[in-house]
Amino acid sequence: MPPYISQIVPHLLFHQIFRQLLGTERSICGLNTKKILKMAFSKRLVFAMIFAVFAIAKPSEAALDAHYYDRSCPVAEKIILETVKNATLYDPKVPARLLRMFFHDCFIRGCDASILLDSTKSTQAEKDGPPNISVRSFYVIEDAKRKLEKVCPRTVSCADVIAIAARDVVTLSGGPYWNVLKGRKDGKISRANETINLPAPTFNVSQLIQSFAARGLSVKDMVTLSGGHTIGFSHCSSFEARLQNFSKFHDVDPSMNYAFAQSLKKKCPRSNNRGKNAGTVLDSTSSVFDNDYYKQILSGKGVFGSDQALLGDYRTKWIVETFARDQKAFFREFATSMVKLGNFGVKETGQVRVNSRLVN
C-alpha cells in the first residue's frame, strides 16, 4: 500500500463510521441510539476509536525484503558471494562453519549478529560460550563487512551478511538457492551464558521439538534444518559418550551401527595423546550439500545422538525417510525453513555496525 493511501484510509474509515452511527435511529436493547451516543462519545471513547481504526489500517512495519539493498547497495550480495567463494577455496571448512554460525546466531536473541561481538572486561560474549568455542571463520564475515563499508558505508548489517553468506555456502556446496530476505539490524547485547539455550547433540526428539518451537519452527523445520549437518565436522567431545559406557545395559549406543561405532572409537581414542582436532565428518559426502545425512541415519550412522534419535520417533521418522529418498524435496524444504529461521527475532530498528566485532 502506497504511503499516501495508508495515511488517508484511517481518516476515511473513521468519518464513515462516525456518520453511520450518528445517522442511525435504530434502538439497541430498547434505548435510542442517539441517546447512547450522547452518553458514550466522551473524548476518551472518540480517541479510542480513532486509535483502533489507525491500528487496523496501519501498514505492517516488517522491513525484511529480498530487494532491500537494490538501491542503497546493489553490489552487496555480489561482494559477499565473492568473499565467501574465495575463503572456501582457501579453506574447505568455511561452508560448514558459516552455516553453523548462522544457526547459532539466530537461536540466541534472533538473527542479529550478536555472535560476532567480542567479549568485554565486564561481559563474556556469545562467541566465547562453550557451544561456540568451535565456531570459526569469523574472519570471512569481517572481511565481507570491511569491503561493504568501503562501497556502501553504514548500510548493510552484519546480521544480513551472515544470512546471505549462509545461503551462499549452501549453494556453493551443491545445495539449493533461495532469496534471502534482508533488512535486519544488528544487536547490541551478547552474553555467553545464553548459549546454554542452543540445542545439544545429546537432545532427544522431544527436547529438539521444544527448542525449535521456541523459535517458531515446526517439527518438519527441525528435521529439515538438522540436514545442515550434511556438511561439516564434529569433535569427539560431542558424540564420544555414545561409544563407551553408554548405559547400564549397553556399552555402545544401541541405535548406532556397530561397525560405525568401532570406526569412531579409532578416531576418538581415550588417551591424553589424542589431538585437539580429533573427530569425524558428519556424513560420507561432507563437502557436498546433499541428502546423504538422512541416508546415514537410516543406516544407523548418525554421528550425534540427536541425529539418530530422529529415526526412532514416529513424529520425525517419516520425514527422515522422505528426505533420504527425495533430495529435491529436502532442498525445497531446506530453503523454506532457512527463510523461516532467518525471520526469527529480527531487529528492524537499531544500528548497522561499522565494525562487526564492536557495537557502534
Side-chain angles (χ1 to χ4, degrees):
M1 182 184 291
Y4 64 89
I5 294 295
S6 66
Q7 294 172 3
I8 294 173
V9 168
H11 295 287
L12 294 177
L13 286 172
F14 177 73
H15 286 299
Q16 183 178 359
I17 293 170
F18 194 85
R19 285 198 303 269
Q20 287 180 348
L21 285 172
L22 288 177
T24 302
E25 292 288 349
R26 295 175 184 173
S27 63
I28 301 175
C29 295
L31 295 175
N32 183 275
T33 308
K34 284 188 176 181
K35 289 181 180 180
I36 295 174
L37 290 172
K38 285 181 181 180
M39 293 184 290
F41 270 94
S42 64
K43 287 184 179 180
R44 289 185 179 180
L45 184 56
V46 171
F47 283 128
M49 289 181 64
I50 293 173
F51 178 81
V53 173
F54 270 81
I56 294 171
K58 187 177 181 180
S60 172
E61 291 182 353
L64 296 191
D65 184 352
H67 304 285
Y68 190 84
Y69 297 116
D70 281 5
R71 292 186 178 183
S72 59
C73 193
V75 295
E77 295 200 46
K78 181 180 179 182
I79 289 174
I80 296 169
L81 174 59
E82 290 178 349
T83 304
V84 169
K85 187 183 294 184
N86 290 335
T88 300
L89 291 173
Y90 174 76
D91 182 0
K93 295 179 181 178
V94 164
R97 289 171 172 175
L98 293 185
L99 184 57
R100 186 168 178 237
M101 186 188 299
F102 174 72
F103 286 151
H104 283 219
D105 181 50
C106 291
F107 261 72
I108 306 298
R109 292 185 171 271
C111 308
D112 66 349
S114 53
I115 195 171
L116 301 180
L117 290 172
D118 285 342
S119 293
T120 64
K121 291 181 179 180
S122 59
T123 306
Q124 191 177 34
E126 285 174 38
K127 64 167 60 171
D128 294 321
N132 286 336
I133 295 298
S134 58
V135 175
R136 310 274 176 78
S137 298
F138 292 105
Y139 71 89
V140 182
I141 304 300
E142 293 167 6
D143 188 25
K145 180 61 177 172
R146 278 193 296 268
K147 293 174 182 176
L148 289 166
E149 284 300 310
K150 291 180 180 178
V151 180
C152 313
R154 297 178 179 271
T155 302
V156 183
S157 69
C158 297
D160 280 344
V161 175
I162 294 176
I164 294 168
R167 186 271 315 276
D168 288 344
V169 296
V170 169
T171 306
L172 289 171
S173 301
Y177 177 93
W178 63 92
N179 288 319
V180 175
L181 301 182
K182 298 168 283 288
R184 300 167 186 80
K185 294 297 183 287
D186 297 325
K188 300 178 182 179
I189 299 172
S190 184
R191 295 173 179 150
N193 60 4
E194 294 182 351
T195 59
I196 195 173
N197 296 315
L198 288 167
T202 56
F203 271 12
N204 60 38
V205 170
S206 293
Q207 290 172 312
L208 288 170
I209 290 174
Q210 183 178 10
S211 178
F212 278 71
R215 279 85 182 173
L217 299 167
S218 67
V219 174
K220 193 172 191 178
D221 291 321
M222 181 269 287
V223 180
T224 301
L225 292 173
S226 295
H229 289 164
T230 185
I231 55 174
F233 175 92
S234 173
H235 291 94
C236 297
S237 58
S238 294
F239 60 84
E240 63 184 346
R242 303 181 69 203
L243 304 178
Q244 288 181 332
N245 302 318
F246 177 72
S247 69
K248 183 178 179 180
F249 304 102
H250 300 94
D251 184 43
V252 176
D253 184 344
S255 68
M256 181 179 280
N257 177 287
Y258 181 77
F260 182 61
Q262 298 310 307
S263 69
L264 292 181
K265 281 185 178 182
K266 293 179 181 178
K267 294 179 180 179
C268 301
R270 290 203 167 187
S271 68
N272 295 329
N273 296 326
R274 187 173 77 187
K276 64 178 182 179
N277 292 321
T280 188
V281 294
L282 295 180
D283 78 12
S284 61
T285 58
S286 61
S287 63
V288 180
F289 195 97
D290 55 19
N291 66 337
D292 188 63
Y293 164 82
Y294 299 102
K295 295 177 182 179
Q296 293 288 97
I297 291 176
L298 291 183
S299 300
K301 297 179 181 179
V303 174
F304 298 147
S306 57
D307 291 333
Q308 197 59 50
L310 299 178
L311 186 64
D313 193 294
Y314 73 94
R315 293 170 291 183
T316 52
K317 180 180 180 180
W318 69 273
I319 307 174
V320 171
E321 292 173 336
T322 299
F323 290 160
R325 66 173 178 266
D326 190 345
Q327 181 167 279
K328 288 184 179 179
F330 167 50
F331 280 14
R332 184 171 58 251
E333 294 296 336
F334 190 83
T336 299
S337 295
M338 283 290 282
V339 172
K340 200 170 173 181
L341 174 59
N343 288 343
F344 172 66
V346 297
K347 292 170 177 59
E348 296 161 356
T349 58
Q351 66 175 219
V352 172
R353 272 183 234 143
V354 175
N355 183 329
S356 62
R357 303 170 68 167
L358 304 170
V359 173
N360 292 348

